[in-house]
Structure formats: structure tokens, C-alpha cells
Amino acid sequence: MDVMGDKATLFETGRFVQPSVEEPTRDEMGDMGEAADEVRLALAAQNGDTEATSVLGALLLRRGDLDGAEPHLRAATAAGDRAAANNLGVLLHQRGYADEAAGWWRIAAVAGSAAAAHALGRHHRERGDEPAAEYWLRQSAEQGHALGAYALADLLEHRGDAGAEHWMRAAAERGHREAAYRLARALDRRAPREDEAGADNAVEEIEQWYRQAAARGHRRAALHLGAILEKRGDLKEAGRWYLTSAKDGEPRAACALGFLLRDAGDTDSASVWWLRAAQDGDGNAANALGALHAERGETQTAERWYRAALDAGDDNGAYNLGLLCAEQGRTAQAEQWYRRAAYAGHREAANALAILLLQGGDTTGAEPWFSKAAEAGSVDAAFNLGILHAGRGEEPVALRWYERAAAAGHTEAALQVGMARLREGDEQEAERHLRCAAGGGSAEAAYRLAAVLDARRPPEPAHELGEIVHEKTECEEWYERAATQGHRRAQVRVGMLAAARGDVVEAARWYRAAAEAGSRNGAFNLGLLLAREGSEPEAAVWWTRAADAGHGRAALRLALVYARRGELAEGQKWADRAVALGPAEVAERAGRLRDALREELSA
């Protein structure tokens, strides 16, 4: 503003504007503009402009100048301005005159003010008059007022009215962020499972409402949106929403962000966010910090964080304290913490407590905890109950628990069910469970499944060494899977199949792997293969290993080797060993050889 002389009056109000050397800032310019508007409105109000009087009163009300606003609002209200009546109600409500405020809101609402109808509905609800509250909130909502629609939805939802979702959706569509969040939560709770029809469409709509609320600064919506994106695999965007929510003070988002960073290998940044969340009372984050320090060997710090988790109401803290004490050999303290978590309903703690009691010989005390954990959904506890009953010879009861654990995906339980069905002769059910267990990584199940399939194969003609290798059957693939996992009998069987089709190198590889792992059959077969290839001295080494492990045929082979070499005493020793080890056929042949060697030695 250009100023002539030292002083100038502003709209002849007697106020003076001082010249300034510096340019005004943007905020100062805004203040100057608002001051100019206020002066303009004041002049219009003095000239009897009702609308200007009402707007001036609203401006002063927003600023907090209740004393200045009230006369303008009363004047405009007296002139019939419904917005002024509504704002006068707001002013009186702020002063503590709720009943008088309601009177002015009623006047404005009758005149068609949606905002006043909303305020009046809220007033009646606070006083417990729900019918009146619903009437006025519905008036507001039907006029398109977002706050009225949300308040009506909240009232109806509280009463369990099915119409609540309609008005919650209406408020959300008009940009009400809390309505968008609550609508998303309601849809989320009743969404179909992933394998059910319409699941994809439901998730899409849920995400849409979370995204709308999150974009408007709703921190819990940002947390849930991050969780949806993380589950989908969009980790980068999930991390951005977790970060947004965490910066707004949501501890669960800070915790989730920590796990995301840990999985990406950045444990240092993860610990920063876990610390922030834990300090805000998030027990899950405190447990994560405890686990991090436990992995580093900082047991005292780990214990401190586990205790913090427990103080935050997270029973996992007690369970983790039990694990920590058990690892340190502090059995009594471990039992104490397991009990605390188990009594609070922690199923894995109940299972751990039962195992601890069982290891101490308290079978009677262990069983109820196994049962409690299993009934609460612990798959490991169901399997352990199967072991407990099997140890007592209660096979039918054991099988029921194994079946329950197997149905929940427990690999070893599926193996036990498969073996039980094999004993019963139910090969079809046995195969089904063995496939489940083998697919879950059980080498023993893979071997037994291969054996079932192997028994069904028609006999194949013998193969000559060096013949072209045929395509592998399914049973061979399962044998190989078990063999690759270190199953010794499977390794021997894979070697035998390779030898049968003429692949000597492959056969030797698998026999050697089994033999080096302690398989006497593997050592014996490797010896046979080496002897056939002309390496009898090396074959004798492997037969010796097999015979020392109790393999009668290997002992007989050694007796024959030493007899051919003329080492009759050594041959007689191994023949004696073969007689003792058997089986009957081997013992008979070894006995004849032993007698012959004795005659030779005594001649």
C-alpha cells in the first residue's frame, strides 16, 4: 500500500497504517486480506446488510471471539438468517448453554439448515433421546450433509440397524474419512475367504475405501491399506503407507514397518521403528526387539523388552521369557513363564509347558496342557498328544490326534497316519497322507510313498551295463527326493535302480553317499559294484565296514575274499562272523566255508 506522508487513515476508522520497509510475508498478506474483509463486512453490517452481519459473526466465531460474534449473530438471526441461527447455537453451546443452543438449532433446522439439523441430532443423542436424534440426523443426511450421514450411520450401527451401512457409504462418498474407514472395516470383517467367489471384488472395494481415508490423513486406514498391499506383495507401496501412518503416531504401523525392513535385511532401521512403537506401548514391537537382542546374545536386554511386552498386555512376552529361560537351562523360571502365558490362553505356551513337564517325567501333568493347547488350535500339541497316546499303546486315540494334526497340515502327523493306514491295508488313504507328508518335506514319507508306488510297478526286464537309461518313473522321483534329503534307505534304493538300468556311475554315487552316512546296505552294495568293476581291494574296505555294522552277507564276502587270497585264518574269522549274523541262507553257506577252512588249516 502506498502511503502519502507519515500517516494515513484506513477507511476513516481512525486507525493508522505505519509504512514498512520490508515486503509482507504470505501469512501477513493473508492477515491483511482478512482484516480488510472484516472491515468491509463491518461497514456492510452497519448499513443493515443481514448476510454481511451473519458472515461477520461467523468470522469472529471461527476466530474464537465469542463476545464480538454474539451480537452480530443475534442481529442476523432476528432478521431471519438461518445460517446465523445455526452459528448462534454453536456459540451458545461453546459457552455451555446447551438447551438454549438447541432452541436456535431447531429454528435453523426447521428453516432447512442441514448443519443445524446435524447439531440438533447430536444434542438429542447426547441426552439419550434416540428417536429425536434419529429424526434430525436423518433430516440432515437426506439433505446431503456428510456429518449428518455419518452421525446417523453411527447411531443406527449402535442399534444394530441394517440401514447403517447405507448412510456410512453416503458419508464416505461425500468425503468423510472416518466413514470411509469404518465402511472399509465393516466390509473387511465380512469379506469372503480368498478361495470363495467374489473375494477379489471385495478386496478391491475394501482397498478403495481404506485408500480414500488414508489419503485424507486417517492413520489407521493407512495401516490397514499397508497390510493389504503387503499381503499382495506390493512391499514398496505398503512401506510408504506404513511410514505415513507411523509418522502420524500409529504404533502398529511403526511395528509393521519394522518387520518389513527386517525382512529386507535392514535390522538397524527395523529396530529404530520397533523402539518407537514399543515406547508407545506396542507389545508386538517390544517382543520383536527382545527377539532381535536375543539373536545377538544380549539376553539381559532381550529379557527387559520381553517384560515390556508383557507389561503392555502382550502374552507373547511371557511365552518368549519362557523360551529365553529354557535356552539358558533355567527350567523352573521357564515353567513359571510358560504357565503365566498358558493360563492367559497362549496355546503355544501351553504346548511348551506340557513338553517341559513331559521331559521332567510328569506325564499326568503334561496331558491336560497338551489337550488345552490342541483344543485352542495348536497343531504341534495335537501331534504331541498323538505321540503321548502312542507311547501308552493307545493306538486308536493316537491316530485320532494324528489325523487332526495332519488335517491342519502337520507333516509328521500325516506320515504317522499314512503308516497307520498302510498297516491296516488301506493303501489309497495311506498314499494320500504320504503324498501330503512328502510334499511337506518329509524324507521318510517320500521314501514310503515311493515304496508303495514301486510295489505296483510291473517287473522290468534285466538291463545290461551300459544300456541306454530309460525315463524315470514317479516312484524313482520320490526315491530321489528322499535320497537328496539324506534318507539312507532311499539312497540305496536309488543306487539299485540306477544299477538295474545300467548306470554304474550313478549307482556308485548313491551307494557311496548311503555308506558314508552309515548305511551297511549301501556299503555292501558299493562293495559289490566295485568288485564287479575289478576293484576288489576297495570293495573289501566297504564290506568290512558293512560287516562291522552287522551285515552277514558282507562278512561272507570277506571270508571268500580272504580264502581266495590264502589268508585262511582271516577267512575263517569272517566266516564265523557271517554264521553269527545270518540270515539263515548266509549262515548255512558261511558254515560250510568255515568247516572247509578249518579242515584246510588242520591238514
Side-chain angles (χ1 to χ4, degrees), residues 165-198:
E165 185 176 318
H166 167 76
W167 290 110
M168 196 69 78
R169 189 180 294 274
E173 288 171 350
R174 294 183 182 106
H176 194 290
R177 72 176 191 182
E178 185 66 25
Y181 171 71
R182 289 179 62 175
L183 177 61
R185 293 296 295 149
L187 295 172
D188 207 352
R189 281 191 292 270
R190 67 167 190 266
R193 295 195 308 270
E194 291 181 4
D195 57 344
E196 293 180 346

Side-chain angles (χ1 to χ4, degrees), residues 64 72 78 91 107 113 146 162 185 230 252 255-256 311 318 332 384 402 448 467 474 516 549 552 568 602:
H72 294 294
L91 184 148
I107 291 171
S113 170
R185 293 296 295 149
E230 182 182 0
R252 290 176 296 170
C255 180
D311 291 341
N384 289 335
Y402 285 145
R448 290 181 178 273
E467 189 174 327
E474 185 188 4
E516 289 177 347
L568 304 183
S602 61

Side-chain angles (χ1 to χ4, degrees), residues 575-595:
D576 284 337
R577 186 74 184 276
V579 170
L581 293 173
E585 177 192 348
V586 170
E588 182 183 350
R589 291 179 58 194
R592 291 199 299 268
L593 177 60
R594 179 187 60 187
D595 294 342

Side-chain angles (χ1 to χ4, degrees), residues 207 211 214 219 221-246 252-261:
E207 180 183 341
R211 193 176 289 277
R219 68 186 194 187
L223 166 66
H224 289 288
L225 176 58
I228 289 174
L229 294 166
E230 182 182 0
K231 186 176 181 181
R232 186 193 299 160
D234 296 337
L235 302 184
K236 194 170 182 179
E237 189 182 358
R240 287 200 299 270
W241 285 111
Y242 283 149
L243 180 61
T244 299
S245 180
R252 290 176 296 170
C255 180
L257 180 59
F259 282 112
L260 213 58
L261 290 166

Side-chain angles (χ1 to χ4, degrees), residues 313-500:
D314 192 327
D315 297 324
N316 278 312
Y319 174 58
N320 287 330
L321 281 166
L323 292 174
L324 194 66
C325 291
E327 288 172 4
Q328 296 172 340
R330 296 154 57 193
T331 308
Q333 291 92 332
E335 182 181 338
Q336 170 194 345
W337 290 116
Y338 285 151
R339 281 189 186 277
R340 180 165 178 175
Y343 277 122
H346 195 292
R347 67 189 187 190
E348 297 310 325
N351 181 55
L353 174 60
I355 292 172
L356 203 64
L357 294 170
L358 196 61
Q359 289 170 344
D362 186 2
T363 308
T364 305
E367 185 176 352
W369 287 112
F370 276 139
S371 296
K372 186 174 182 178
E375 294 298 341
S378 172
V379 180
D380 288 336
F383 176 66
N384 289 335
L385 272 172
I387 294 174
L388 193 67
H389 288 288
R392 296 173 179 168
E394 301 166 355
E395 296 299 336
V397 181
L399 183 57
R400 284 201 297 272
W401 285 112
Y402 285 145
E403 286 177 328
R404 183 165 177 173
H410 196 286
T411 298
E412 290 304 312
L415 170 62
Q416 293 300 323
V417 175
M419 291 169 61
R421 296 305 180 208
L422 275 179
R423 289 192 296 270
E424 295 169 0
D426 188 349
E427 192 173 289
Q428 186 175 356
E429 273 298 293
E431 181 182 341
R432 184 173 70 84
H433 282 94
L434 289 174
R435 284 187 182 278
C436 291
S442 169
E444 181 66 25
Y447 171 73
R448 290 181 178 273
L449 173 60
V452 169
L453 299 174
D454 202 359
R456 297 177 187 163
R457 290 198 309 166
E460 295 183 4
H463 295 270
E464 297 293 333
L465 292 179
E467 189 174 327
I468 297 173
V469 177
H470 67 75
E471 186 177 348
K472 292 177 182 175
T473 62
E474 185 188 4
C475 80
E476 288 180 81
E477 290 174 356
W478 284 113
Y479 276 135
E480 284 196 8
R481 181 181 293 196
T484 304
Q485 293 175 258
H487 194 286
R488 293 182 302 181
R489 284 179 294 169
Q491 289 170 338
V492 173
R493 186 62 182 144
V494 171
M496 291 171 66
L497 291 169

